[in-house]
Structure formats: structure tokens, C-alpha cells
Amino acid sequence: MKVDVTKKSATNIFDGPYYLNIDGQLVQTAESFGVENPATGEVFAQAPSASPEQLEKAISAAKTAFKSWSKFSYDEREQYLKAYAAELDAHRDELARLLTLEQGKPFATEAVPEVDQAIRYIREIAERRIPVEIVEENESHIVELHHTPLGVVGAITPWNFPVLLTLWKVAPALITGNTMVVKPSPFTPLTLLRAGQIAQSVLPAGVLSIITGGNELGPQMTEHPDLAKISFTGSTETGKHVIRSAASTVKRLTLEMGGNDAAIVLPDADWKTIVPQLFWGAVGNLGQWCVGIKRLYVHSSFRKEFVAEFVDYAKKQKLGNGMDADVVLGPVQNKMQYEKVKTFLADIKANGQNIVLGGDVDDNQPGYFIPVTVVDNPSEQSKIVQEEQFGPIVPIIEYDDVDDVINRANNSPFGLGGSVWGQNTKAAVEVANQLETGMVWVNEIHTQGVDIPFGGHKQSGLGTEQGHEGRLLFTNPKTVLIKK
Ligand code: NAD
């Protein structure tokens, strides 16, 4: 059954039932699993649970599709990707609504921008090229460097920005000539199933399949001999499993994993004006952000005033159901994460740290709501400073000496992102240059783009996404030496 999404009403398409997308077809499964709305805790839809045979079929279809897709020119693939972006755009509000229902993020301020950004990435990446380079030429020979597609790429993605973090893998994989099988997080399968359904009406069969089901599909992909690469975004723990499992077939890997990003507010910072940026940098998406500020280091000369201003700003932001118009902070996405964030609150309380906002969770109310919690000056060794909270708890930590705070920021197994804030840009950049992270923002935060490499150092990642560097990682370098 091939569906032309343009001929169906939004309600029909976006209110279930949901199907796998395999080889251009919408496919039913014997098993399904419930998808919860984290704002209510209620199961509101059933997602298809793929059998191992169905995943196998998607990989096999992608392998067949690769033969013709990889032979298309960049210009032809650009046309397909732009048609796909246009179809997604035509359904943008429905996709964003579904994203809010399954993920929890506020519709207008976060779900719509995420869908828009994903569409923009597809459009812009469609225009990028990796040309053949002449690396040497003399009287006797010419040496060309080609970048050939890898084959079938598997994408394994998380629940925090399911749409953006998946489609920003799909676009570079496809433009460079690969085909792709995507396994979304079981917590947020629906919006991507719809995005996959839309793809079936635009892209050739087998080029993109979205397969949902339990975590056990992950190892089936990472071990599969016909997947040339795994592009993974998720926790460092799972990433280590992926590395081990991919070894037997020498898969290419790009891993985007956890972080414990520090923001350093320098002594000369105009700190009052940057409180909103720092607030949203820390608790945008309710802190469920790999590059969210997880540790906020503020100079001792204004820490007390800063904390008061931060708390004041935080109190004005409404937490609630993301479908309500005035809500700007949604729930924690799932029960497991909710329980995990509560262990941080318990630890903070057990160690008598100073909670100056929030801290209390009402388990009797429906949904997974944790209020923004600000901890004033916890010790450097505390759990909230040392570990990735991935939730709305902000430790604001005092420092005196800039060299010391650089050391503290670097004293982490993670090295994803970081930010430095100060009026003297040159001095701030000098600090930024000393941070051991894949990305560092100076006096801005979380700007991203298709030509801006995104990736982590140390245990935060392997390889990079986006930028020319990221796109190269969807290809094999191939040197062609030709005698004249
Ligand atoms: P997770 O590691 O639990 O799951 C990620 C994906 O891996 C899911 O699709 C899951 O089903 C799959 N998976 C689970 N077990 C697997 C296995 N054994 N083999 C293969 N795949 C398996 O992560 P999560 O809880 O969904 O996401 C939160 C984490 O992701 C946080 O640590 C966050 O920092 C990180 N993250 C990183 C980035 C980044 O770009 N660096 C972006 C977003 C999230």
C-alpha cells in the first residue's frame, strides 16, 4: 500500500494507526507497544513493534535501493530531498503536534521550531556537494580523491530531539548517495513514523525506512553485516555497547553521546543581561539536551546577586502540558528519566545542599513534572556537578580564579560543549580555547547550522555531524591514480 499523503486529511494521517515504512510500503506488525504522553502519563497511541524479520527486510530493501540511489547525480538526489522537505513542510503543524504529544515539549516554542529546523537542514544539506579533488598532478600521472557512499547506514536516535537529531542524519546520508534504516527511540516513535510515511510518497522505495520497536533492534543493527555504518545519538553507556558490537563487521561509526557542559561567566561579564540566555541554555527542553548547560560557573564577586536574578527569571516561566499556549516548560519525557532526575534531587537533599528554587516533586499528579530547581553553590565533587543530570536542575557554582575554573570545567570524562561569557571577547576566546570540548560558544549559545560541525571530545563522541567534516563521514575516501 503506497500512500500519497497529500491526498489525505491531516486528521486521518496523524491520528493513527501507525505503520512501519519498509521498501516503500506501510507495513503492519503482529506486536505493538504503547506510547505515553508524558504530560498525562497516559498511553495515547500504539506504535508498531518490528520483528527481527521486518528489520531484516528493511535492510535488504535499502541494500537493493542503494544500487540505483547511489548512481543518481547529486542534483537528482537534491531534487528528491527538496521534495521531501516540501512534503514535511506541508504537514509541519501536525508533525509538531504529534511531537508535543509524545515528547512533551511545548508546541509553539519548541516543537514547531524543532520541525522547522529539521526541514531547513534537509533543504540546505540537499545543496551541499563533495566534489572530486585533484590531490596531485604532474607530467606522468594524475591523482583524484573521490568520496564514495558507504552503502546502507543505520541511524539509532534518542528521545530528546527525535525529529531534528534523526532528520539531520537522514539528509547528509542520502545526499552523499547512501540509503538509510532508522531506529527511533521507543519513547518517541510516532512523529518519525509519520516522517517516514511522508518519505514513502516522495523517495524511491527502500531509500529510507523507519523501523520502531524495542531496544533489541539496536544490537541487531549494530551487528548486521549489511549495514556499513551506524550513526548513533544517545547515552555514552549505550554508545559503548555500539562500539563493541560494531567491531565484528568493522563498521564506520559516528557517535554523539552524553555531556556535562560547563558555562563560565567571567568576572567582566554583563551578567544581568545574559541571565535569560543562560536559563534557556540550561533548561530549554527541560534540560534534556546533550549540549544543555549542566554546570553554571559564576564569579564569586556577583554569585549571590546572579543566583537571585536567575531564580527571579525562572519563577516567571510556566511548567505544564506542552499543548497549553502559555506553557514554556514541558514534562520530563519518560518515567525512567523522571526517576533518574529524582535521584539527583534526593542526593542534593541528603547532602544538605542549598536548594533556592524548586526541589519538590509531586508524585501524585499525573505526568512527569519536575520543577526547575536551582542549587546554590554545591560542592565541586557533588553528584549534580560531576554527573549528567539531563533534567531541569541547575547547579550555580562559585569560582574565584579563571585558571582554576578552566581546570574544573575540563575535569570530566565528557567533552561535548561549553560556553564562555565576558565583555572582553578576546579574553573570553582565550578561555574558550582551553576547554576540552568539541564545541564552545562565546557570548552566545546553541547556534547550529548545516556547515557547523557538531560533535564531542573524550567520552562525548566519536566523529562529528554536520559541516563538511560530518558529511565526509558518510563516505569512503577513494584514491584513483591514473597514468597519463
Ligand atoms: P539511550 O542511549 O538510552 O538510547 C539511544 C538509542 O539507542 C535509542 O534509540 C535506544 O533504543 C537505542 N539502544 C538502546 N540500547 C541499545 C543497544 N544495546 N544497541 C544499540 N542501540 C541501543 O539514550 P536516550 O536516553 O534516548 O538519550 C539521552 C542521552 O542521549 C543523553 O545521555 C544525552 O546526552 C545523549 N544525547 C547526545 C546527543 C549528542 O548529540 N551528543 C544528542 C542528544 C542526546
Side-chain angles (χ1 to χ4, degrees):
M1 170 183 34
K2 188 152 180 170
V3 170
D4 180 351
V5 290
T6 58
K7 298 216 172 68
K8 293 224 169 183
S9 83
T11 320
N12 278 345
I13 292 173
F14 289 90
D15 286 348
Y18 298 89
Y19 303 97
L20 303 180
N21 319 275
I22 301 176
D23 201 12
Q25 307 292 314
L26 300 185
V27 175
Q28 284 180 331
T29 55
E31 308 282 327
S32 64
F33 59 98
V35 181
E36 267 185 355
N37 178 342
T40 62
E42 284 169 0
V43 170
F44 73 100
Q46 291 291 317
S49 189
S51 65
E53 295 73 29
Q54 285 171 318
L55 174 56
E56 191 62 44
K57 211 168 162 212
I59 294 172
S60 156
K63 201 176 161 188
T64 305
F66 177 74
K67 289 183 193 141
S68 46
W69 182 254
S70 59
K71 298 221 167 47
F72 287 162
S73 67
Y74 267 98
D75 289 354
E76 285 169 315
R77 292 194 294 257
E78 174 183 341
Q79 296 313 313
Y80 276 113
L81 283 177
K82 287 200 167 158
Y84 183 35
E87 277 306 320
L88 289 170
D89 213 0
H91 296 280
R92 171 254 216 184
D93 285 354
E94 302 101 287
L95 288 165
R97 174 177 160 270
L98 199 48
L99 179 57
T100 296
L101 291 178
E102 67 175 343
Q103 206 284 338
K105 61 183 65 190
F107 175 78
T109 55
E110 292 189 342
V112 169
E114 178 174 341
V115 173
D116 281 348
Q117 217 185 340
I119 293 168
R120 177 171 72 84
Y121 269 79
I122 298 174
R123 285 207 173 106
E124 293 184 15
I125 290 170
E127 294 174 0
R128 299 300 182 272
R129 302 287 182 266
I130 304 181
V132 174
E133 281 174 60
I134 307 291
V135 292
E136 188 177 293
E137 182 164 19
N138 56 33
E139 315 74 56
S140 62
H141 79 166
I142 180 164
V143 182
E144 296 175 352
L145 180 60
H146 298 235
H147 285 93
T148 57
L150 300 169
V152 185
V153 176
I156 299 179
T157 58
W159 46 259
N160 60 341
F161 289 87
V163 176
L164 178 64
L165 296 181
T166 301
L167 294 181
W168 87 358
K169 294 182 190 300
V170 169
L174 266 48
I175 194 63
T176 49
N178 304 280
T179 56
M180 193 169 232
V181 175
V182 173
K183 193 207 82 58
S185 166
F187 292 116
T188 50
L190 302 178
T191 319
L192 286 166
L193 286 168
R194 287 306 187 225
Q197 180 175 339
I198 291 170
Q200 307 316 311
S201 71
V202 179
L203 300 176
V207 167
L208 175 64
S209 294
I210 311 283
I211 302 296
T212 55
N215 284 343
E216 66 285 353
L217 296 174
Q220 193 185 338
M221 290 173 73
T222 54
E223 286 161 11
H224 203 289
D226 289 338
L227 291 185
K229 168 175 175 138
I230 296 289
S231 180
F232 168 85
T233 304
S235 63
T236 298
E237 189 85 359
T238 310
K240 289 177 184 174
H241 287 296
V242 173
I243 295 174
R244 279 190 284 270
S245 158
S248 60
T249 51
V250 195
K251 275 189 192 12
R252 278 67 185 140
L253 290 176
T254 298
L255 306 176
E256 296 292 357
M257 303 186 284
N260 195 6
D261 291 13
I264 300 175
V265 184
L266 292 171
D268 74 332
D270 184 7
W271 60 267
K272 258 193 185 181
T273 63
I274 60 174
V275 162
Q277 281 168 280
L278 292 167
F279 176 84
W280 291 111
V283 297
N285 209 32
L286 209 71
Q288 303 165 109
W289 204 344
C290 54
V291 285
I293 296 171
K294 313 259 168 62
R295 301 177 279 165
L296 181 41
Y297 290 101
V298 173
H299 193 254
S300 54
S301 57
F302 50 80
R303 186 200 97 234
K304 281 203 174 100
E305 298 84 336
F306 179 94
V307 169
E309 190 80 17
F310 193 94
V311 166
D312 204 39
Y313 184 83
K315 280 182 180 162
K316 295 178 189 139
Q317 315 307 326
K318 188 168 175 195
L319 179 77
N321 186 322
M323 291 309 294
D324 294 347
D326 55 344
V327 161
V328 288
L329 296 163
V332 174
Q333 199 279 324
N334 60 70
K335 180 136 192 345
M336 202 172 72
Q337 186 63 24
Y338 174 77
E339 296 300 337
K340 186 180 152 201
V341 176
K342 285 199 303 183
T343 67
F344 283 86
L345 292 177
D347 182 84
I348 289 162
K349 288 180 182 170
N351 287 293
Q353 287 160 358
N354 188 14
I355 295 178
V356 289
L357 180 72
D360 293 322
V361 178
D362 180 1
D363 275 329
N364 296 317
Q365 69 170 353
Y368 305 127
F369 290 101
I370 295 186
V372 172
T373 298
V374 177
V375 190
D376 185 23
N377 211 18
S379 80
E380 188 63 30
Q381 293 318 315
S382 58
K383 180 176 166 79
I384 187 62
V385 178
Q386 291 298 316
E387 295 179 22
E388 182 187 42
Q389 63 272 46
F390 222 62
I393 311 175
V394 189
I396 301 180
I397 314 141
E398 168 177 309
Y399 73 92
D400 289 314
D401 176 68
V402 173
D403 288 332
D404 173 53
V405 79
I406 294 169
N407 284 334
R408 285 154 74 179
N410 286 338
N411 184 23
S412 168
F414 293 118
L416 189 56
S419 59
V420 184
W421 306 80
Q423 293 192 68
N424 180 338
T425 308
K426 193 163 169 277
V429 170
E430 273 171 27
V431 173
N433 288 342
Q434 294 175 70
L435 294 185
E436 297 165 356
T437 60
M439 295 159 285
V440 54
W441 288 271
V442 177
N443 292 327
E444 62 175 19
I445 187 142
H446 295 158
T447 29
Q448 295 160 11
V450 302
D451 294 318
I452 301 174
F454 183 101
H457 292 183
K458 302 195 263 185
Q459 292 189 30
S460 287
L462 197 65
T464 191
E465 295 195 274
Q466 310 311 325
H468 190 64
E469 291 78 0
R471 289 184 281 279
L472 282 176
L473 295 178
F474 283 104
T475 66
N476 274 318
K478 179 173 179 181
T479 311
V480 182
L481 305 96
I482 310 159
K483 187 167 167 51
K484 276 186 173 169

